[in-house]
């Protein structure tokens, strides 16, 4: 009997408006994907659409039933199913990532083991996760830092109207490790001008300072930077990695960009072959989506899986980053339960 796919919209709310260089919001909607096999075993995944990568709630809802009709009847055929879906309707990575997560959850449950265990990984090898402070007024930044009390590494969003004000506000409030993500908000000239400022404020990692296609800019920045430069928006799938080798120090993998857990594993292997650092990140999504991404954390250098930790109404419990420590569930599949 063919695998059945059903969906449900999840309404998520962040504790504070989450503002980055492209704008921000408090209300997010993602799609829960449920895949059911003939015995009634369910696998779950979450699609967190991002307009920047060409997806919306509506495109996800439109494409999921089309992908659902192509699942076949054997969830263990993970490689074949994922290839078939991508060939049939390209792009739509967040929708495909939700299906990939649901299939891995399903086979893990059928085998009675967590996905990380199926892959032979050690959860204790996962690095600590950052917690993100979005752009805000100095007063509210101080409040957010206080709320982020338990997280040892903070990531701040720059590329806005008052980067220096953000850096001063955060450094005035904490001496914790600080990483910066400019979300394409600078030109190469601006980024190079910011490098000594970032150094002065003790920033340890710089993520995506310039627009995705500005590879020359990335190369110029990297030549002058004393901290690792990570490509996020410039690195969508494994096919982007060879071109980035030599012009950045690492890549940021997100399931909603690359479209599947298996593609994430390919990206890790290819990045390593090119001598690159590997980071795993997320969108604003619940603990369901975070639990899928968290399965690869034992293989990476930098973890930024705070999507669910930023929420005030997470509908799921699974992998967590409480206190910055990635804690993978020992329950089968993705180890996710409804709260
Ligand atoms: Mg980023």
């Amino acid at each position: 009997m063919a695998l059945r796919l059903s969906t449900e919209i999840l309404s998520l709310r962040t504790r504070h408006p989450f503002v980055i260089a492209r704008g921000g919001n408090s209300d997010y909607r993602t799609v829960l994907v449920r895949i059911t096999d003939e015995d009634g075993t369910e696998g779950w995944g979450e699609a967190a659409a991002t307009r920047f990568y060409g997806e919306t709630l509506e495109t996800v809802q439109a494409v999921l039933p089309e992908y659902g009709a192509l699942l076949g009847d054997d969830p263990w055929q993970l490689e074949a199913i994922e290839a078939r879906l991508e060939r049939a309707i390209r792009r739509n990575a967040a929708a495909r990532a939700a299906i990939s997560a649901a299939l891995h959850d399903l086979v893990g449950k059928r085998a009675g083991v967590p996905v990380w265990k199926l892959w032979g990984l050690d959860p204790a090898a996962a690095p600590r996760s950052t917690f993100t402070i979005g752009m805000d007024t100095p007063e509210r930044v101080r409040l957010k830092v206080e709320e982020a009390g338990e997280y040892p590494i903070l990531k701040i969003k720059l590329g806005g109207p008052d980067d220096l004000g953000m850096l001063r506000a955060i450094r005035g409030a904490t001496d914790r490790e600080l990483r910066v993500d400019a979300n394409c908000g600078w030109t190469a000239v601006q980024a190079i001008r910011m490098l000594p400022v970032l150094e002065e404020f003790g920033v340890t990692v710089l993520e995506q300072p310039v627009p995705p296609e500005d590879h020359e800019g990335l190369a110029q920045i990297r030549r002058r930077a004393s901290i690792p430069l990570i490509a996020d928006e410039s690195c969508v799938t494994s096919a982007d990695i060879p071109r980035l080798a030599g012009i950045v120090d690492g890549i940021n993998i997100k399931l909603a960009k690359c479209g599947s857990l298996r593609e994430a594993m390919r990206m890790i292997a290819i990045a390593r072959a090119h001598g690159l650092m590997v980071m795993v990140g997320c969108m604003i999504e619940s603990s369901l989506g975070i639990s899928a991404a968290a399965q690869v954390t034992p293989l990476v250098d930098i973890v930024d899986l705070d999507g669910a930790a930023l929420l005030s109404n997470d509908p799921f419990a699974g992998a967590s980053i409480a206190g910055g420590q990635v804690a993978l569930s020992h329950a089968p599949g993705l180890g996710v339960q409804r709260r």
Side-chain angles (χ1 to χ4, degrees):
M1 207 177 78
L3 296 163
R4 279 179 294 122
L5 182 145
S6 62
T7 63
E8 179 186 325
I9 293 175
L10 303 171
S11 293
L12 308 177
R13 197 173 172 80
T14 55
R15 270 177 238 284
H16 302 284
F18 189 69
V19 181
I20 70 168
R22 289 188 282 276
N25 217 335
S26 298
D27 293 296
Y28 292 80
R29 287 194 297 170
T30 62
V31 178
L32 163 64
V33 171
R34 237 187 251 103
I35 296 178
T36 313
D37 71 7
E38 56 190 352
D39 303 328
T41 308
E42 283 185 7
W44 296 349
E46 181 176 6
T50 308
R51 204 173 277 277
F52 185 79
Y53 295 107
E55 290 181 273
T56 61
L57 182 75
E58 291 72 27
T59 66
V60 166
Q61 283 182 295
V63 80
L64 279 171
E66 310 237 4
Y67 284 142
L70 301 170
L71 292 175
D73 55 9
D74 182 1
W76 286 100
Q77 292 288 322
L78 294 160
E79 192 72 22
I81 298 171
E82 291 190 359
R84 186 159 67 234
L85 266 46
E86 199 194 353
R87 254 197 326 270
I89 309 170
R90 299 192 64 81
R91 302 174 66 95
N92 296 285
R96 282 187 288 113
I99 291 175
S100 172
L103 289 169
H104 283 82
D105 188 35
L106 179 53
V107 298
K109 285 173 179 165
R110 294 228 321 213
V113 292
V115 172
W116 55 262
K117 198 164 195 172
L118 274 179
W119 289 346
L121 303 181
D122 174 9
R128 288 181 305 177
S129 177
T130 48
F131 183 81
T132 304
I133 310 278
M135 289 177 193
D136 219 323
T137 62
E139 297 71 40
R140 294 187 60 83
V141 165
R142 272 189 288 276
L143 175 74
K144 288 177 182 178
V145 170
E146 238 167 78
E147 284 180 10
E150 52 178 329
Y151 294 95
I153 313 168
L154 301 179
K155 171 167 140 174
I156 58 168
K157 296 291 196 178
L158 297 186
D162 186 17
D163 289 336
L164 208 53
M166 264 299 283
L167 282 163
R168 284 199 185 111
I170 199 134
R171 263 300 171 242
T174 181
D175 56 4
R176 268 174 276 180
E177 182 177 346
L178 209 54
R179 298 173 183 169
V180 160
D181 186 356
N183 287 109
C184 315
W186 295 333
T187 62
V189 170
Q190 285 176 311
I192 289 165
R193 213 178 287 141
M194 280 301 284
L195 288 173
V197 179
L198 300 180
E199 200 167 314
E200 181 194 330
F201 282 92
V203 171
T204 58
V205 175
L206 174 59
E207 200 181 322
Q208 195 71 41
V210 294
E213 294 313 317
D214 190 5
H215 285 198
E216 181 50 38
L218 287 173
Q220 288 172 9
I221 297 159
R222 187 185 181 224
R223 277 198 292 274
R224 291 162 177 86
S226 58
I227 55 173
L229 176 63
I230 307 290
D232 180 359
E233 285 88 340
S234 293
C235 186
V236 178
T237 69
S238 55
D240 298 316
I241 296 173
R243 294 191 303 149
L244 289 165
I247 64 171
V248 296
D249 297 286
I251 58 148
N252 186 1
I253 299 171
K254 291 175 184 163
L255 295 179
K257 289 191 296 180
C258 77
S260 96
L261 275 73
R262 307 180 77 72
E263 175 63 4
M265 294 290 262
R266 281 190 289 271
M267 290 178 82
I268 294 171
I270 292 166
R272 294 304 187 198
H274 286 89
L276 292 167
M277 294 171 73
V278 179
M279 168 172 176
V280 63
C282 60
M283 303 301 177
I284 298 292
E285 49 196 310
S286 78
S287 282
L288 173 55
I290 296 301
S291 296
Q295 302 299 317
V296 306
T297 54
L299 293 170
V300 308
D301 308 297
I302 300 179
V303 174
D304 179 29
L305 291 181
D306 58 2
L310 295 164
L311 299 178
S312 60
N313 66 342
D314 187 358
F316 297 96
S320 106
I321 60 154
Q325 207 63 54
V326 177
L328 281 158
S329 168
H330 285 248
L334 299 179
V336 176
Q337 288 185 323
R338 206 129 192 173
R339 273 184 210 275

